[in-house]
Amino acid sequence: MAEITLHVLPPSHPCAAVDAALALKGLEYERVELPMDGSHIAVMGEIYGEDRTRAPGAVIDGEPVHGSNAIMERLDEIAPDRHPLFPGPDPDAVREAARWGDEVLQPLGRSLPWGALAFRPDALGLVGGGDLLDPAGTDFAMRFVRALWKRHEISCVRIAGELTELPAHLNHVRHLAAEGVIGDPDHPNAADLQIGSTIAVLGMVGDVADQLEDQLLTRLAS
């Protein structure tokens, strides 16, 4: 069986999608959590290339593979008979949906939660399952969130636009389910994992949580 090392950032939803894919495949792997202090950029760049600094990345039998969709494609190559992630009868439709989830929906899972934390930095402690931060922790969180706004090019204008676009994106998710591309609870595919991981993290944002309260979206996020 392949030797797999997965490099992740703990709060990253694309990393969560790959974790779920590996679990579905039943593949053993080494999970390396990179620190959230910015040093992961250099680590990822050294392994995967200077323009590939976002997590996740995986080294599979010595070969670096960067990005959640690329990793899931590689997992299907090394274990095609274990829960296919791009299954028939139309694997290209699954690829297109997973690519949409990665390129269109996934960025909202960064900008909206990190955007919201700029207004409630003490809530950063809740992201890891802890409590609201004390004043000293809140001071740190304010600096941390400002750095993320800069890195991910977040702005209030961007957040306002994405909040306006979100209902249409959620309707597209429902359309994909109606077409049978996603939504099979017994056989989740790469697009389910890619889209569901973003919906799960969006559920942390109180201003949009009520838009996610239907059976399909709740199931995808679980």
Side-chain angles (χ1 to χ4, degrees), residues 28 43 62 72 90 92 113 195 218:
E28 294 184 1
V43 174
M72 289 192 281
D90 193 352
D92 285 341
I195 293 168
T218 299

Side-chain angles (χ1 to χ4, degrees), residues 20-38:
L22 283 159
L24 288 171
K25 288 283 191 183
L27 295 172
E28 294 184 1
Y29 64 106
E30 179 186 6
R31 189 176 190 272
V32 179
E33 289 192 2
L34 303 175
M36 287 288 294
D37 59 4

Side-chain angles (χ1 to χ4, degrees), residues 57-220:
V59 179
I60 302 175
D61 286 339
E63 176 189 358
V65 184
H66 182 257
S68 48
N69 281 336
I71 294 169
M72 289 192 281
E73 288 273 14
R74 186 75 179 96
L75 296 181
D76 259 6
E77 292 174 4
I78 64 176
D81 298 327
R82 291 190 179 189
H83 194 107
L85 299 169
F86 298 90
D90 193 352
D92 285 341
V94 177
R95 287 188 177 91
E96 183 178 350
R99 185 166 52 249
W100 176 86
D102 178 48
E103 296 175 359
V104 178
L105 187 64
Q106 185 197 105
L108 275 68
R110 285 187 291 268
S111 56
L112 294 184
W114 292 128
L117 282 169
F119 303 95
R120 280 296 307 273
D122 60 323
L124 181 62
L126 303 178
V127 174
D131 299 320
L132 293 173
L133 298 177
D134 62 14
T138 301
D139 282 340
F140 167 80
M142 290 172 68
R143 296 191 296 272
F144 181 76
V145 172
R146 287 192 192 109
L148 285 173
W149 271 52
K150 182 177 180 180
R151 170 163 170 73
H152 295 300
E153 300 179 336
I154 301 171
S155 68
C156 289
V157 171
R158 174 179 171 181
I159 291 170
E162 290 177 340
L163 288 172
T164 300
E165 295 164 358
L166 182 60
H169 292 329
L170 297 179
N171 282 337
H172 183 63
V173 173
R174 297 181 183 100
H175 170 75
L176 291 172
E179 293 292 309
V181 179
I182 64 171
D184 183 343
D186 297 320
H187 298 91
N189 59 41
D192 286 284
L193 302 181
Q194 190 72 264
I195 293 168
S197 65
T198 299
I199 293 173
V201 76
L202 286 175
M204 298 168 55
V205 182
D207 287 347
V208 303
D210 61 337
Q211 298 185 50
L212 310 176
E213 293 177 354
D214 69 32
Q215 186 175 7
L216 169 67
L217 299 178
T218 299
R219 186 170 69 244
L220 287 172

